[in-house]
CSV table of all heavy atoms in Angstrom, one decimal:
chain,number,residue,atom,x,y,z
X,1,GLN,N,0.8,-1.2,-0.1
X,1,GLN,CA,0.1,0.0,0.0
X,1,GLN,C,0.9,1.3,0.0
X,1,GLN,O,0.7,2.2,-0.8
X,1,GLN,CB,-1.0,0.0,1.2
X,1,GLN,CG,-1.8,1.2,1.3
X,1,GLN,CD,-1.3,2.4,2.1
X,1,GLN,OE1,-0.6,2.2,3.1
X,1,GLN,NE2,-1.4,3.6,1.5
X,2,VAL,N,1.9,1.2,0.8
X,2,VAL,CA,2.9,2.3,0.8
X,2,VAL,C,3.5,2.6,-0.4
X,2,VAL,O,3.7,3.8,-0.9
X,2,VAL,CB,3.8,2.3,2.1
X,2,VAL,CG1,5.0,3.3,2.0
X,2,VAL,CG2,3.1,2.3,3.4
X,3,GLN,N,3.9,1.5,-1.1
X,3,GLN,CA,4.6,1.6,-2.5
X,3,GLN,C,3.7,2.0,-3.3
X,3,GLN,O,4.0,3.0,-4.1
X,3,GLN,CB,5.0,0.1,-2.7
X,3,GLN,CG,5.8,0.2,-4.1
X,3,GLN,CD,6.3,-1.3,-4.5
X,3,GLN,OE1,6.1,-2.2,-3.8
X,3,GLN,NE2,7.1,-1.3,-5.7
X,4,ALA,N,2.3,1.7,-3.4
X,4,ALA,CA,1.4,2.3,-4.4
X,4,ALA,C,1.1,3.7,-4.1
X,4,ALA,O,1.1,4.5,-5.1
X,4,ALA,CB,0.1,1.4,-4.2
X,5,PHE,N,1.0,4.0,-2.9
X,5,PHE,CA,0.9,5.5,-2.4
X,5,PHE,C,2.0,6.3,-3.0
X,5,PHE,O,1.7,7.4,-3.7
X,5,PHE,CB,0.8,5.6,-1.0
X,5,PHE,CG,0.9,7.0,-0.4
X,5,PHE,CD1,-0.3,7.8,-0.4
X,5,PHE,CD2,2.0,7.6,0.0
X,5,PHE,CE1,-0.3,9.1,0.1
X,5,PHE,CE2,2.1,8.9,0.5
X,5,PHE,CZ,1.0,9.6,0.6
X,6,ASN,N,3.3,5.9,-2.9
X,6,ASN,CA,4.4,6.6,-3.3
X,6,ASN,C,4.4,6.7,-4.9
X,6,ASN,O,4.8,7.7,-5.4
X,6,ASN,CB,5.7,6.1,-2.7
X,6,ASN,CG,5.8,6.3,-1.3
X,6,ASN,OD1,5.4,7.3,-0.8
X,6,ASN,ND2,6.5,5.4,-0.6
X,7,LEU,N,4.2,5.6,-5.5
X,7,LEU,CA,4.1,5.5,-7.0
X,7,LEU,C,3.0,6.5,-7.5
X,7,LEU,O,3.2,7.3,-8.5
X,7,LEU,CB,3.9,4.1,-7.5
X,7,LEU,CG,5.1,3.2,-7.3
X,7,LEU,CD1,4.7,1.8,-7.6
X,7,LEU,CD2,6.3,3.6,-8.2
X,8,ASN,N,1.9,6.5,-7.0
X,8,ASN,CA,0.8,7.2,-7.4
X,8,ASN,C,1.2,8.8,-7.2
X,8,ASN,O,0.9,9.6,-8.1
X,8,ASN,CB,-0.5,7.1,-6.6
X,8,ASN,CG,-1.3,6.0,-7.3
X,8,ASN,OD1,-1.3,5.7,-8.4
X,8,ASN,ND2,-2.2,5.5,-6.3
X,9,ASN,N,1.9,9.1,-6.0
X,9,ASN,CA,2.3,10.5,-5.8
X,9,ASN,C,3.3,11.0,-6.8
X,9,ASN,O,3.6,12.2,-6.9
X,9,ASN,CB,2.6,10.7,-4.4
X,9,ASN,CG,1.4,10.7,-3.5
X,9,ASN,OD1,0.2,10.8,-4.0
X,9,ASN,ND2,1.6,10.6,-2.2
X,10,GLN,N,4.1,10.1,-7.3
X,10,GLN,CA,5.1,10.4,-8.2
X,10,GLN,C,4.6,10.4,-9.7
X,10,GLN,O,5.4,10.6,-10.6
X,10,GLN,CB,6.2,9.3,-8.2
X,10,GLN,CG,7.1,9.3,-6.8
X,10,GLN,CD,7.8,8.0,-6.7
X,10,GLN,OE1,8.2,7.4,-7.6
X,10,GLN,NE2,8.4,7.9,-5.5
X,11,GLY,N,3.3,10.2,-9.9
X,11,GLY,CA,2.7,10.1,-11.1
X,11,GLY,C,3.0,8.9,-11.9
X,11,GLY,O,2.7,8.9,-13.2
X,12,ARG,N,3.4,7.8,-11.3
X,12,ARG,CA,3.8,6.6,-11.9
X,12,ARG,C,2.5,5.6,-11.8
X,12,ARG,O,2.6,4.5,-11.1
X,12,ARG,CB,5.0,6.1,-11.3
X,12,ARG,CG,6.2,7.0,-11.6
X,12,ARG,CD,7.4,6.7,-10.8
X,12,ARG,NE,7.9,5.3,-10.9
X,12,ARG,CZ,8.9,4.9,-10.1
X,12,ARG,NH1,9.4,5.7,-9.3
X,12,ARG,NH2,9.4,3.6,-10.2
X,13,TYR,N,1.4,6.0,-12.3
X,13,TYR,CA,0.0,5.3,-12.1
X,13,TYR,C,0.1,3.8,-12.6
X,13,TYR,O,-0.4,3.0,-11.9
X,13,TYR,CB,-1.0,6.1,-12.6
X,13,TYR,CG,-1.0,7.5,-12.3
X,13,TYR,CD1,-0.8,8.5,-13.1
X,13,TYR,CD2,-1.0,8.0,-10.9
X,13,TYR,CE1,-0.8,9.9,-13.0
X,13,TYR,CE2,-0.9,9.3,-10.6
X,13,TYR,CZ,-0.8,10.3,-11.7
X,13,TYR,OH,-0.7,11.6,-11.3
X,14,ALA,N,0.7,3.6,-13.8
X,14,ALA,CA,0.7,2.4,-14.3
X,14,ALA,C,1.5,1.3,-13.5
X,14,ALA,O,1.3,0.2,-13.5
X,14,ALA,CB,1.2,2.4,-15.8
X,15,GLU,N,2.5,1.8,-12.8
X,15,GLU,CA,3.3,1.1,-11.8
X,15,GLU,C,2.6,0.9,-10.6
X,15,GLU,O,2.8,-0.2,-10.0
X,15,GLU,CB,4.7,1.7,-11.6
X,15,GLU,CG,5.6,1.7,-12.9
X,15,GLU,CD,6.8,2.5,-12.5
X,15,GLU,OE1,7.7,2.1,-11.7
X,15,GLU,OE2,7.2,3.5,-13.2
X,16,ALA,N,1.8,1.8,-10.1
X,16,ALA,CA,1.2,1.7,-8.9
X,16,ALA,C,0.0,0.7,-9.0
X,16,ALA,O,-0.3,0.0,-8.0
X,16,ALA,CB,0.6,3.1,-8.5
X,17,LEU,N,-0.6,0.6,-10.2
X,17,LEU,CA,-1.8,-0.3,-10.3
X,17,LEU,C,-1.6,-1.7,-9.9
X,17,LEU,O,-2.4,-2.2,-9.0
X,17,LEU,CB,-2.2,-0.2,-11.9
X,17,LEU,CG,-3.6,-0.8,-12.1
X,17,LEU,CD1,-4.7,-0.2,-11.4
X,17,LEU,CD2,-3.8,-0.7,-13.6
X,18,PRO,N,-0.7,-2.4,-10.4
X,18,PRO,CA,-0.6,-3.9,-10.0
X,18,PRO,C,-0.1,-4.0,-8.4
X,18,PRO,O,-0.5,-4.9,-7.8
X,18,PRO,CB,0.5,-4.5,-10.9
X,18,PRO,CG,1.3,-3.2,-11.4
X,18,PRO,CD,0.4,-2.1,-11.4
X,19,VAL,N,0.5,-3.0,-7.9
X,19,VAL,CA,1.1,-3.0,-6.5
X,19,VAL,C,-0.2,-2.9,-5.7
X,19,VAL,O,-0.4,-3.7,-4.7
X,19,VAL,CB,2.0,-2.0,-6.3
X,19,VAL,CG1,2.5,-1.9,-4.9
X,19,VAL,CG2,3.3,-2.1,-7.3
X,20,ALA,N,-0.9,-1.8,-5.9
X,20,ALA,CA,-2.1,-1.6,-5.2
X,20,ALA,C,-3.2,-2.8,-5.3
X,20,ALA,O,-3.8,-3.1,-4.4
X,20,ALA,CB,-2.8,-0.3,-5.6
X,21,GLN,N,-3.3,-3.3,-6.5
X,21,GLN,CA,-4.2,-4.4,-6.8
X,21,GLN,C,-3.7,-5.6,-5.9
X,21,GLN,O,-4.6,-6.3,-5.3
X,21,GLN,CB,-4.1,-4.9,-8.3
X,21,GLN,CG,-5.1,-6.0,-8.5
X,21,GLN,CD,-5.2,-6.4,-10.0
X,21,GLN,OE1,-4.2,-6.0,-10.8
X,21,GLN,NE2,-6.2,-7.0,-10.4
X,22,ARG,N,-2.5,-6.0,-5.8
X,22,ARG,CA,-2.0,-7.0,-5.0
X,22,ARG,C,-2.3,-6.7,-3.4
X,22,ARG,O,-2.7,-7.6,-2.7
X,22,ARG,CB,-0.4,-7.2,-5.1
X,22,ARG,CG,0.1,-8.3,-4.3
X,22,ARG,CD,-0.4,-9.7,-4.7
X,22,ARG,NE,0.1,-10.7,-3.8
X,22,ARG,CZ,-0.5,-11.8,-3.4
X,22,ARG,NH1,-1.8,-12.0,-3.7
X,22,ARG,NH2,0.2,-12.6,-2.6
X,23,ALA,N,-2.0,-5.5,-3.0
X,23,ALA,CA,-2.4,-5.1,-1.6
X,23,ALA,C,-3.9,-5.4,-1.4
X,23,ALA,O,-4.3,-6.0,-0.3
X,23,ALA,CB,-2.1,-3.6,-1.4
X,24,VAL,N,-4.7,-5.0,-2.2
X,24,VAL,CA,-6.2,-5.2,-2.1
X,24,VAL,C,-6.5,-6.6,-2.0
X,24,VAL,O,-7.3,-7.1,-1.2
X,24,VAL,CB,-7.0,-4.6,-3.3
X,24,VAL,CG1,-8.5,-5.0,-3.3
X,24,VAL,CG2,-6.9,-3.0,-3.1
X,25,GLU,N,-6.0,-7.4,-2.9
X,25,GLU,CA,-6.1,-8.8,-3.0
X,25,GLU,C,-5.8,-9.4,-1.5
X,25,GLU,O,-6.5,-10.3,-1.0
X,25,GLU,CB,-5.2,-9.5,-4.0
X,25,GLU,CG,-5.7,-9.4,-5.5
X,25,GLU,CD,-4.7,-9.7,-6.5
X,25,GLU,OE1,-3.7,-10.3,-6.3
X,25,GLU,OE2,-5.2,-9.5,-7.7
X,26,LEU,N,-4.7,-9.0,-1.0
X,26,LEU,CA,-4.2,-9.5,0.3
X,26,LEU,C,-5.1,-9.1,1.4
X,26,LEU,O,-5.1,-9.6,2.6
X,26,LEU,CB,-2.8,-9.1,0.7
X,26,LEU,CG,-1.7,-9.7,-0.3
X,26,LEU,CD1,-0.4,-9.1,-0.1
X,26,LEU,CD2,-1.6,-11.3,0.0
X,27,CYS,N,-5.8,-8.1,1.2
X,27,CYS,CA,-6.7,-7.5,2.2
X,27,CYS,C,-8.2,-8.0,2.2
X,27,CYS,O,-9.1,-7.6,2.9
X,27,CYS,CB,-6.8,-5.9,2.1
X,27,CYS,SG,-5.4,-5.1,2.8
X,28,GLN,N,-8.4,-8.9,1.2
X,28,GLN,CA,-9.9,-9.5,1.1
X,28,GLN,C,-10.4,-10.0,2.4
X,28,GLN,O,-9.8,-10.7,3.1
X,28,GLN,CB,-9.9,-10.7,0.0
X,28,GLN,CG,-9.8,-10.2,-1.4
X,28,GLN,CD,-10.9,-9.2,-1.8
X,28,GLN,OE1,-11.8,-9.2,-1.4
X,28,GLN,NE2,-10.6,-8.4,-2.8
X,29,GLY,N,-11.6,-9.4,2.8
X,29,GLY,CA,-12.1,-9.9,4.0
X,29,GLY,C,-11.7,-9.1,5.3
X,29,GLY,O,-12.2,-9.4,6.3
X,30,SER,N,-10.7,-8.3,5.2
X,30,SER,CA,-10.0,-7.6,6.3
X,30,SER,C,-10.9,-6.4,6.7
X,30,SER,O,-11.4,-5.7,5.8
X,30,SER,CB,-8.6,-7.2,6.1
X,30,SER,OG,-8.2,-6.5,7.1
X,31,THR,N,-10.9,-6.1,8.0
X,31,THR,CA,-11.6,-4.9,8.4
X,31,THR,C,-10.5,-3.8,8.8
X,31,THR,O,-10.9,-2.8,9.4
X,31,THR,CB,-12.6,-5.1,9.5
X,31,THR,OG1,-11.9,-5.8,10.6
X,31,THR,CG2,-13.7,-6.0,9.1
X,32,GLN,N,-9.3,-4.1,8.5
X,32,GLN,CA,-8.3,-3.2,9.0
X,32,GLN,C,-8.3,-2.0,8.1
X,32,GLN,O,-8.0,-2.0,6.8
X,32,GLN,CB,-6.8,-3.7,8.9
X,32,GLN,CG,-6.6,-4.9,10.0
X,32,GLN,CD,-5.3,-5.4,10.0
X,32,GLN,OE1,-4.7,-5.8,8.9
X,32,GLN,NE2,-4.6,-5.3,11.0
X,33,VAL,N,-8.4,-0.8,8.6
X,33,VAL,CA,-8.3,0.5,7.9
X,33,VAL,C,-7.0,0.6,7.3
X,33,VAL,O,-6.8,1.0,6.1
X,33,VAL,CB,-8.8,1.7,8.7
X,33,VAL,CG1,-8.4,2.9,8.0
X,33,VAL,CG2,-10.2,1.7,9.3
X,34,SER,N,-6.0,0.5,8.0
X,34,SER,CA,-4.6,0.5,7.5
X,34,SER,C,-4.0,-0.9,7.6
X,34,SER,O,-4.0,-1.5,8.6
X,34,SER,CB,-3.7,1.5,8.4
X,34,SER,OG,-2.4,1.4,8.0
X,35,PRO,N,-3.7,-1.5,6.3
X,35,PRO,CA,-3.5,-0.9,5.1
X,35,PRO,C,-4.7,-1.0,4.2
X,35,PRO,O,-4.7,-0.5,3.0
X,35,PRO,CB,-2.4,-1.5,4.5
X,35,PRO,CG,-2.6,-2.9,5.1
X,35,PRO,CD,-3.1,-2.8,6.4
X,36,CYS,N,-5.7,-1.7,4.5
X,36,CYS,CA,-6.7,-2.1,3.5
X,36,CYS,C,-7.6,-1.1,3.0
X,36,CYS,O,-7.8,-0.9,1.7
X,36,CYS,CB,-7.6,-3.3,4.1
X,36,CYS,SG,-6.5,-4.7,4.6
X,37,ALA,N,-8.0,0.0,3.8
X,37,ALA,CA,-8.9,1.0,3.2
X,37,ALA,C,-8.0,1.9,2.4
X,37,ALA,O,-8.4,2.2,1.3
X,37,ALA,CB,-9.5,1.8,4.4
X,38,TYR,N,-6.7,2.0,2.8
X,38,TYR,CA,-5.9,2.9,1.9
X,38,TYR,C,-5.5,2.2,0.6
X,38,TYR,O,-5.4,2.9,-0.3
X,38,TYR,CB,-4.6,3.2,2.7
X,38,TYR,CG,-5.0,3.9,4.3
X,38,TYR,CD1,-4.3,3.6,5.2
X,38,TYR,CD2,-6.1,4.7,4.3
X,38,TYR,CE1,-4.6,4.2,6.5
X,38,TYR,CE2,-6.4,5.4,5.6
X,38,TYR,CZ,-5.6,5.0,6.5
X,38,TYR,OH,-5.9,5.7,7.7
X,39,ALA,N,-5.3,1.0,0.8
X,39,ALA,CA,-5.0,0.1,-0.6
X,39,ALA,C,-6.0,0.3,-1.6
X,39,ALA,O,-5.9,0.4,-2.7
X,39,ALA,CB,-4.8,-1.3,-0.1
X,40,LEU,N,-7.4,0.2,-1.1
X,40,LEU,CA,-8.5,0.3,-2.0
X,40,LEU,C,-8.5,1.7,-2.6
X,40,LEU,O,-8.6,1.9,-3.8
X,40,LEU,CB,-9.8,0.1,-1.2
X,40,LEU,CG,-10.2,-1.3,-0.9
X,40,LEU,CD1,-11.3,-1.4,0.0
X,40,LEU,CD2,-10.6,-2.0,-2.2
X,41,TYR,N,-8.2,2.8,-1.8
X,41,TYR,CA,-8.1,4.1,-2.4
X,41,TYR,C,-7.1,4.2,-3.5
X,41,TYR,O,-7.2,4.9,-4.6
X,41,TYR,CB,-7.9,5.2,-1.2
X,41,TYR,CG,-7.8,6.5,-1.8
X,41,TYR,CD1,-9.1,7.3,-1.8
X,41,TYR,CD2,-6.7,7.1,-2.0
X,41,TYR,CE1,-9.0,8.6,-2.2
X,41,TYR,CE2,-6.7,8.5,-2.4
X,41,TYR,CZ,-7.8,9.2,-2.5
X,41,TYR,OH,-7.8,10.5,-3.0
X,42,GLU,N,-5.9,3.8,-3.0
X,42,GLU,CA,-4.7,3.9,-4.1
X,42,GLU,C,-5.0,3.1,-5.3
X,42,GLU,O,-4.7,3.5,-6.4
X,42,GLU,CB,-3.4,3.4,-3.4
X,42,GLU,CG,-2.9,4.2,-2.3
X,42,GLU,CD,-2.8,5.7,-2.6
X,42,GLU,OE1,-2.4,6.1,-3.8
X,42,GLU,OE2,-3.0,6.6,-1.7
């Protein structure tokens, strides 16, 4: 999630996409705001 956040903030959206997607996959079913809510946003 942090890596996706940094990539998005650097304008590297295509690189952030699979990173954030993997974070979201790992968060399936989780109720943890950090990192899961943030991963969905990124």
Side-chain angles (χ1 to χ4, degrees):
Q1 180 272 315
V2 169
Q3 185 180 2
F5 170 82
N6 289 331
L7 289 167
N8 273 336
N9 285 347
Q10 294 167 13
R12 296 163 60 187
Y13 314 118
E15 292 174 63
L17 187 61
V19 176
Q21 182 177 22
R22 179 68 180 138
V24 167
E25 289 168 0
L26 292 169
C27 281
Q28 285 301 336
S30 174
T31 58
Q32 291 185 305
V33 170
S34 179
C36 298
Y38 306 143
L40 283 164
Y41 181 86
E42 294 305 329

